[in-house]
Amino acid sequence: MSTEPVRRGTGRARIIEAATELFLSQGYAGTTTRDIAARAGIRQPSLYAHFKVKADILLEVLAQPIRASVETSAALIEDAGLSAVERLGRLVEFDVKLLCDGPNLAHLGYLPDVRAEQIDAELDAQHRDLRRAYEVLVEGALKEAGRPVEDARGISDVVLTLVEGVILRRIVDPGVTGEQLAPLLRDAVLTLVR
Amino acid sequence: MSTEPVRRGTGRARIIEAATELFLSQGYAGTTTRDIAARAGIRQPSLYAHFKVKADILLEVLAQPIRASVETSAALIEDAGLSAVERLGRLVEFDVKLLCDGPNLAHLGYLPDVRAEQIDAELDAQHRDLRRAYEVLVEGALKEAGRPVEDARGISDVVLTLVEGVILRRIVDPGVTGEQLAPLLRDAVLTLVR
DNA sequence: GTCTATATAATGATAGAC
DNA sequence: GTCTATCATTATATAGAC
């Protein structure tokens, strides 16, 4: 493990940044408060001036990625100027790029030791929203293609599984980029609703 | 966490079974040797009559799922009596069912605290084999469809991402079954190579 | 808000009897 | 192979000075 202090940010933000990197590389239970403090450039007890317990750091780390995704996907879904097919394609591209670029934050929500902290209520709610978004767009795309909407549920399942797969993809293939993967998955999804 | 001892198996096998369940529900670092022993129905020091260190238990747990997958996929690929399309469809179905049924062992190989143990060489080799298998079959299927084989790499990427997605799918949707998901993903994949 | 010092508990692992 | 007893280390968290 690197013990080099992170350079940017101050105080609380620096702790969050350090904890994020460490949770992703070592897991939650596998990361000690000393690890976090060392990387944030402070002593271990100083963490407790910002957080009451270790789990509170995890809460804040998990709270980071929520907003951007939900808001943008909501905006995409309701853009009446575009066809459902176009909106579906853009949502896939957006999500894949979000999952590929930056730290693999989405992966944290799937870790056993994170789920064992029983803070998954909000994460699961997010997941339901995303699932619903894909269902709506797939249904719209199928209508545009003159296909029966009964297929929407199954195809949404496939699309969701595909997008989710990106999270694990990055772990084995760290070189993967949203730039290359996003158009690939978008085209694949559009083939399914054509 | 349930501390109820597992009932089946004896000695070493019972320990592996207990450790598997616990690693999946709490992660590796989040599971103590006392947890494992309690679930196996023995005392903590008794573990060390079977394993030298904790990481050796993890090694054995990870060694479990390797064989069946690799052997069956190899047999599927080389079955000359079937078309490439049929073989591709069967491989997808086989892998999805394998990933859906039984404990989610594949997920363990993606956990940060497991990868931090630096035992991923064999796991990554497996992954490369699977990737290669899909490339070969996708290429064959594209030939049969009269499409350019240059598309094979990209489509294999999509297929692999889709199959891998099943691993995370189970975590948020514990009710998902291979029976329902396998045909869905198979049909989706076959649509992509048609 | 950060520090040093420390309390308290849990951890992986060993020794040696049976 | 399992047990009891225990060690050495490391963990989270607190107390109190600056």
Side-chain angles (χ1 to χ4, degrees):
Chain A
M1 180 209 79
S2 164
T3 52
E4 181 188 351
V6 296
R7 311 205 170 281
R8 293 187 298 189
T10 60
R12 194 180 179 92
R14 186 179 296 202
I15 295 169
I16 296 299
E17 185 182 346
T20 300
E21 296 170 5
L22 290 167
F23 290 164
L24 284 173
S25 62
Q26 307 178 348
Y28 170 70
T31 299
T32 70
T33 52
R34 277 182 178 77
D35 291 338
I36 299 171
R39 193 157 188 122
I42 57 177
R43 303 286 182 172
Q44 183 259 352
S46 302
L47 291 176
Y48 294 85
H50 301 272
F51 302 92
K52 196 162 181 284
V53 294
K54 182 188 175 190
D56 285 350
I57 303 178
L58 176 62
L59 274 176
E60 199 121 332
V61 168
L62 290 174
Q64 285 183 94
I66 295 187
R67 284 152 194 78
S69 173
V70 174
E71 288 174 4
T72 304
S73 62
L76 268 173
I77 292 168
E78 293 167 7
D79 186 338
L82 297 172
S83 70
V85 171
E86 283 169 359
R87 281 179 285 170
L88 176 60
R90 290 188 184 203
L91 182 57
V92 170
E93 272 196 288
F94 174 78
D95 281 335
V96 171
K97 282 179 180 164
L98 195 74
L99 291 175
C100 276
D101 303 336
N104 200 355
L105 282 165
H107 189 216
L108 285 176
Y110 295 91
L111 300 183
D113 47 0
V114 168
R115 297 189 71 86
E117 291 291 320
Q118 299 187 323
I119 50 183
D120 21 32
E122 194 171 7
L123 295 171
D124 289 354
Q126 267 191 277
H127 196 270
R128 273 194 300 276
D129 287 347
L130 191 63
R131 186 197 187 87
R132 184 73 196 131
Y134 276 118
E135 268 182 19
V136 169
L137 289 182
V138 166
E139 202 171 299
L142 289 179
K143 277 183 191 164
E144 290 175 2
R147 290 178 52 183
V149 293
E150 287 80 32
D151 297 351
R153 188 63 181 263
I155 295 179
S156 307
D157 261 357
V158 172
V159 172
L160 202 59
T161 305
L162 183 59
V163 171
E164 235 166 349
V166 173
I167 295 167
L168 293 188
R169 210 65 226 294
R170 291 185 60 179
I171 297 170
V172 182
D173 284 333
V176 74
T177 68
E179 205 61 42
Q180 66 184 191
L181 204 52
L184 222 51
L185 297 200
R186 179 204 58 203
D187 290 347
V189 168
L190 296 188
T191 299
L192 295 177
V193 296
R194 198 163 293 147
Chain B
M1 181 208 79
S2 164
T3 53
E4 182 188 351
V6 297
R7 310 205 171 281
R8 293 187 297 190
T10 60
R12 195 180 179 90
R14 186 179 295 202
I15 294 169
I16 296 300
E17 186 182 346
T20 300
E21 295 171 6
L22 290 167
F23 290 165
L24 283 173
S25 62
Q26 306 178 350
Y28 171 70
T31 300
T32 70
T33 53
R34 280 178 176 77
D35 291 338
I36 299 171
R39 193 155 187 124
I42 57 177
R43 303 287 181 171
Q44 183 257 354
S46 302
L47 292 175
Y48 293 85
H50 300 272
F51 302 92
K52 196 163 180 282
V53 294
K54 182 189 176 190
D56 285 350
I57 303 178
L58 176 62
L59 274 177
E60 199 121 332
V61 168
L62 290 174
Q64 286 184 93
I66 295 186
R67 284 153 195 77
S69 172
V70 173
E71 287 174 6
T72 303
S73 61
L76 267 172
I77 292 167
E78 292 166 8
D79 186 338
L82 297 172
S83 70
V85 171
E86 283 168 2
R87 281 178 284 169
L88 177 60
R90 289 187 187 204
L91 182 57
V92 170
E93 271 195 288
F94 174 77
D95 281 334
V96 171
K97 282 178 181 164
L98 195 75
L99 291 175
C100 276
D101 303 335
N104 200 355
L105 282 166
H107 190 217
L108 284 177
Y110 296 90
L111 299 184
D113 46 1
V114 168
R115 298 189 70 85
E117 291 292 318
Q118 298 186 323
I119 50 183
D120 23 30
E122 194 170 8
L123 295 172
D124 289 354
Q126 265 191 278
H127 197 269
R128 272 194 302 276
D129 287 348
L130 190 64
R131 185 197 188 89
R132 185 72 196 132
Y134 276 118
E135 268 182 21
V136 169
L137 289 183
V138 166
E139 203 171 299
L142 289 179
K143 277 183 192 164
E144 290 175 2
R147 290 178 53 184
V149 292
E150 287 79 34
D151 298 352
R153 188 64 183 263
I155 295 179
S156 307
D157 260 359
V158 172
V159 173
L160 202 60
T161 305
L162 183 59
V163 171
E164 235 166 349
V166 173
I167 295 167
L168 293 187
R169 210 66 225 292
R170 290 186 60 180
I171 297 170
V172 183
D173 284 333
V176 73
T177 67
E179 205 60 42
Q180 66 184 192
L181 204 52
L184 222 52
L185 298 201
R186 180 204 57 204
D187 290 347
V189 168
L190 297 188
T191 299
L192 295 177
V193 296
R194 198 166 293 146

